[in-house]
Amino acid sequence: MSPDPERTRQAAPGALLGTLVGDALGAPYEGSPPTTTEKARGRLERALARTPRPYTDDTQMALALAQHLLGHPHVDPDALAAAFRDAFEPWRGYGGGMHRIHDAWECGLPTAQAARVAFAEGSLGNGAAMRIAPIGVRWGHDPERLADVAARSAQPTHVHPVGEDGAVVQARAVGRAVARGGFTPQDLAELAEEAATDELARGLAEAASFEWPASLGDPHVAIADRLGHEVLADRSVPTACWVAATSADPGEAMLRALGVGGDTDTIAAMAVAIRGAADGGEAVPGELVDACEGSPQVRAVADELADAALGGDAA
Ligand code: F2R
Ligand code: MG
Ligand code: MG
């Protein structure tokens, strides 16, 4: 299938600015408990009161991956590891394992060995998923290629099957939103069918069938308890997909993710990326975009990625 030009040009800034906004505005609340919609609104207002909001590792790695894709559309894991190494700023709030992998790269360890220095079986954190939106944009029109490229992009840092599957699921979610201009609970059920690991399949299936009577309070508080809101891929990617599928627009996805709490920056980055891809860059509130460090750079790389997606599949 060829990408639709108008859709791709709208979805690219939606997905990448969604990553940025979710990350930068969610970051002050990383580690916070779940809360009501009203209090989540207060979280957002407080974040917007002091700007520009700095982005964290989520956006730093997404930018590095986006730039890598412009030269390596099918991903070269060694070159991608070098791009992550060059972009690395230790104060951006990276995971503990990522600091050790970075040290290993600096010492010249081969990519495959470096990926196992922190955890012998590899990381099952959500770091490969949080940065994946550029792959959804570049390959949303070709789901098979997208899954292969997403798995390759996880290799430098997340070789645990759950860490890798989290990246593939999140890439598929963004890719569906890019290609179709929508993202609904039906997508959650289909993503559950496609998941490679039981952990992701279970979380997505539960997200797809989740029902919650309004009389019992905010559903996002219940979902944080049911599906998780932690740093592990299987405890955050299904939650982010649920937020995206049940929000009317990127602004509502941002609020819901702020209410989910926990790994707030990352759940928001993933959820708003999906919703932004579905609804387009114009749907991401300008007030949120303008509050974030780096928004012109993110917009520019999104446009380049859209050009690359529309320019053909050659390496
Ligand atoms: N790390 C954070 N936030 C922590 C606080 C940061 C602090 N505020 C600061 O400013 O310094 N956020 C970022 O990390 C998450 C993505 O993590 P990633 O890239 O997957 O890293 P890592 O280290 O590989 O995994 C994260 C943690 O998961 C656990 N873990 C992973 N694999 C494991 C395994 N095989 N066995 C056991 N545990 C495993 C560990 O606790 C890792 O530290 C995002 O939230 C991003 O925003
Ligand atoms: Mg972060
Ligand atoms: Mg985080």
Side-chain angles (χ1 to χ4, degrees):
M1 182 173 94
S2 299
D4 175 75
E6 197 184 347
R7 181 90 278 289
T8 304
R9 292 203 188 285
Q10 288 172 357
L16 269 66
L17 290 171
T19 301
L20 171 69
V21 157
D23 172 25
L25 299 175
Y29 305 103
E30 202 180 31
S32 298
T35 195
T36 61
T37 303
E38 198 187 326
K39 288 191 173 153
R41 204 164 276 123
R43 286 180 176 178
L44 183 58
E45 277 166 18
R46 284 193 297 284
L48 292 172
R50 272 187 75 184
T51 61
R53 300 298 331 176
Y55 61 74
T56 77
D57 54 337
D58 306 50
T59 301
Q60 182 154 79
M61 296 193 96
L63 278 172
L65 174 57
Q67 272 146 358
H68 176 81
L69 283 171
L70 296 174
H72 305 82
H74 305 118
V75 168
D76 172 342
D78 293 325
L80 181 58
F84 288 150
R85 185 195 65 212
D86 292 346
F88 187 82
E89 290 173 310
W91 48 270
R92 293 276 184 192
Y94 280 86
M98 274 307 305
H99 285 270
R100 296 191 55 193
I101 290 177
H102 183 262
D103 289 347
W105 289 333
E106 290 287 328
C107 292
L109 228 61
T111 309
Q113 279 180 40
R116 295 181 187 275
V117 290
F119 307 102
E121 68 281 27
S123 171
L124 47 72
N126 54 19
M130 72 189 183
R131 66 188 185 222
I132 208 83
I135 291 179
V137 171
R138 180 64 182 83
W139 292 110
H141 62 286
D142 184 342
E144 260 182 51
R145 177 63 57 85
L146 172 146
D148 181 56
V149 171
R152 287 162 68 77
S153 80
Q155 283 178 23
T157 54
H158 290 75
V159 292
H160 190 292
V162 169
E164 178 185 305
D165 199 26
V168 174
V169 165
Q170 176 65 16
R172 284 191 202 274
V174 176
R176 278 168 174 263
V178 168
R180 299 171 192 190
F183 191 76
T184 70
Q186 178 61 30
D187 287 293
L188 301 176
E190 291 171 14
L191 287 170
E193 295 289 318
E194 292 171 351
T197 61
D198 290 346
E199 288 88 341
L200 268 296
R202 258 199 311 271
L204 289 160
E206 200 166 339
S209 61
F210 181 72
E211 285 180 20
W212 188 253
S215 59
L216 291 183
D218 285 311
H220 62 258
V221 174
I223 212 83
D225 180 52
R226 191 78 63 88
L227 301 183
H229 65 173
E230 295 95 270
V231 74
L232 304 183
D234 58 319
R235 300 282 296 169
S236 53
V237 173
T239 305
C241 290
W242 177 88
V243 169
T246 58
S247 296
D249 52 44
E252 187 180 13
M254 184 71 229
L255 261 189
R256 283 197 170 198
L258 283 168
V260 164
D263 192 0
T264 314
D265 63 330
T266 301
I267 289 172
M270 295 192 290
V272 188
I274 300 169
R275 204 61 260 165
D279 302 338
E282 301 273 301
V284 184
E287 185 195 10
L288 306 192
V289 173
D290 293 344
C292 299
E293 173 198 7
S295 53
Q297 186 194 356
V298 170
R299 200 184 283 281
V301 85
D303 290 344
E304 282 188 81
L305 214 46
D307 288 342
L310 295 170
D313 294 349

